[in-house]
Amino acid sequence: MVKVTLTAKIEWIEFEEGGRHTPPSKGTKYCPIIKFDDITLPNEWSVCFICTEERTKSCTVEMSFLSDTPPDICIEANSTFGLFEGNRKVAKGKVIGYRLV
């Protein structure tokens, strides 16, 4: 089975704009829902990554899909997405690259 790992730049949304009180701490495993901006339904998967920065407004991470069958269409550089906790969009991001493991 091939696993997809995305490298992405993430910007956390300010709490006053509907985001989190603070970004997750460095070293925290974080598993939000990801929705890609330019993909039609179905467009909701779970990803996991380890936070690499200490509560900064933006960071670069490597994330993996929890599903054994991730979406093929989103695996390209410059795809944009939102990260969600339930209905609440807490971050926005852009795919920088990917690799198959």
Side-chain angles (χ1 to χ4, degrees):
M1 172 187 328
V2 175
K3 282 291 222 185
V4 178
T5 300
L6 299 177
T7 303
K9 179 78 171 177
I10 294 172
E11 283 188 42
W12 298 100
I13 295 171
E14 297 289 333
F15 179 71
E16 297 76 24
E17 298 170 10
R20 297 174 54 97
H21 281 280
T22 58
S25 299
K26 182 178 181 179
T28 301
K29 184 175 184 178
Y30 183 65
C31 300
I33 294 169
I34 187 170
K35 295 180 184 180
F36 288 87
D37 296 337
D38 53 354
I39 298 176
T40 55
L41 295 175
N43 181 20
E44 192 171 294
W45 298 274
S46 293
V47 292
C48 265
F49 58 90
I50 303 292
C51 296
T52 56
E53 311 275 333
E54 188 59 57
R55 297 187 175 187
T56 57
K57 182 167 171 50
S58 64
C59 60
T60 301
V61 298
E62 288 193 357
M63 60 177 73
S64 301
F65 291 92
L66 294 180
S67 171
D68 290 337
T69 54
D72 293 340
I73 194 165
C74 66
I75 304 172
E76 59 184 56
N78 299 318
S79 291
T80 57
F81 59 86
L83 296 179
F84 291 79
E85 294 178 3
N87 298 356
R88 184 172 49 145
K89 186 175 182 179
V90 296
K92 57 186 175 179
K94 183 185 226 181
V95 175
I96 298 170
Y98 69 94
R99 68 175 200 255
L100 305 176
V101 184

